[in-house]
Amino acid sequence: MAKLRFIVVGSGWRSLFYWRIAQALPERFELCAMLCRTEEKAEKMHREYGVPVSTSAEQCIALHPDFVVVAVNKASIAAVSTEWLARGFAVLCETPAALEEDALRALWQLHRQGAKLQVAEQYWLYPTLAKRLAAVRSGALGTPQFARLSVAHGYHAVSLARQFLNAG
């Protein structure tokens, strides 16, 4: 498998997970740059973590990444994802994909038109939840009619409920 090259837009604590993935699996992933809003933040990320950084979207585009990770604040995530999708990049965005229904519908429309957007919702992959989900899917409990969740909140809980109820 060829190494996947990517950039991360954002420089908060979530962005560092992707840096650590690239560090742990250098044969599979290369973080080309972390796009920061300010020179101060870029300098801090580079100094503290050794992350390759930039404050220029154009410079990041010139690196020809295979995909873009959008790890910005919740209020900005839909707009930033849309911006990078419009540039023709595949986007992996953190949750939630959007805070407003109109923005979520716009992202869905872009996806239907061929834009490559993946939302990093992973709760259903946690080992204890994955085992429970496997038990439900095995049919041992019959066909689930409802789900009661106390292990997650908000959009994470909705994602889990959809998985447990086989709602797609």
Side-chain angles (χ1 to χ4, degrees):
M1 171 186 267
K3 183 187 294 194
L4 293 171
R5 302 175 74 250
F6 66 100
I7 64 168
V8 174
V9 179
S11 55
W13 66 273
R14 285 185 177 187
S15 65
L16 289 170
F17 284 100
Y18 298 97
W19 169 241
R20 288 191 288 273
I21 291 168
Q23 292 296 104
L25 299 167
E27 70 283 357
R28 300 204 48 204
F29 299 103
E30 177 187 349
L31 175 59
C32 301
M34 181 178 288
L35 180 59
C36 303
R37 282 185 295 174
T38 67
E39 287 291 338
E40 294 78 24
K41 186 69 173 202
E43 289 171 14
K44 178 180 188 246
M45 297 304 284
H46 184 70
R47 181 179 63 254
E48 290 183 14
Y49 302 102
V51 178
V53 294
S54 177
T55 57
S56 164
E58 291 72 25
Q59 186 179 50
C60 289
I61 291 166
L63 296 170
H64 304 290
D66 296 308
F67 66 98
V68 174
V69 174
V70 175
V72 297
N73 66 59
K74 292 177 186 181
S76 303
I77 201 158
V80 174
S81 295
T82 299
E83 175 186 331
W84 286 93
L85 289 167
R87 289 178 168 144
F89 288 95
V91 169
L92 171 65
C93 77
E94 279 292 333
T95 57
L99 290 177
E100 306 292 330
E101 185 177 345
D102 289 344
L104 189 58
R105 288 187 187 282
L107 285 171
W108 179 248
Q109 185 60 33
L110 286 171
H111 168 71
R112 291 187 64 178
Q113 294 169 354
K116 294 179 181 175
L117 173 66
Q118 179 71 43
V119 181
E121 177 58 59
Q122 75 288 346
Y123 269 67
W124 60 278
L125 296 170
Y126 286 16
T128 58
L129 293 171
K131 290 289 186 185
R132 292 174 187 151
L133 185 55
V136 170
R137 288 181 175 165
S138 75
L141 303 174
T143 302
Q145 301 297 313
F146 73 94
R148 183 176 304 158
L149 300 163
S150 62
V151 297
H153 64 86
Y155 46 85
H156 298 300
V158 170
S159 171
L160 283 171
R162 293 177 67 82
Q163 291 290 328
F164 280 102
L165 297 173
N166 197 28

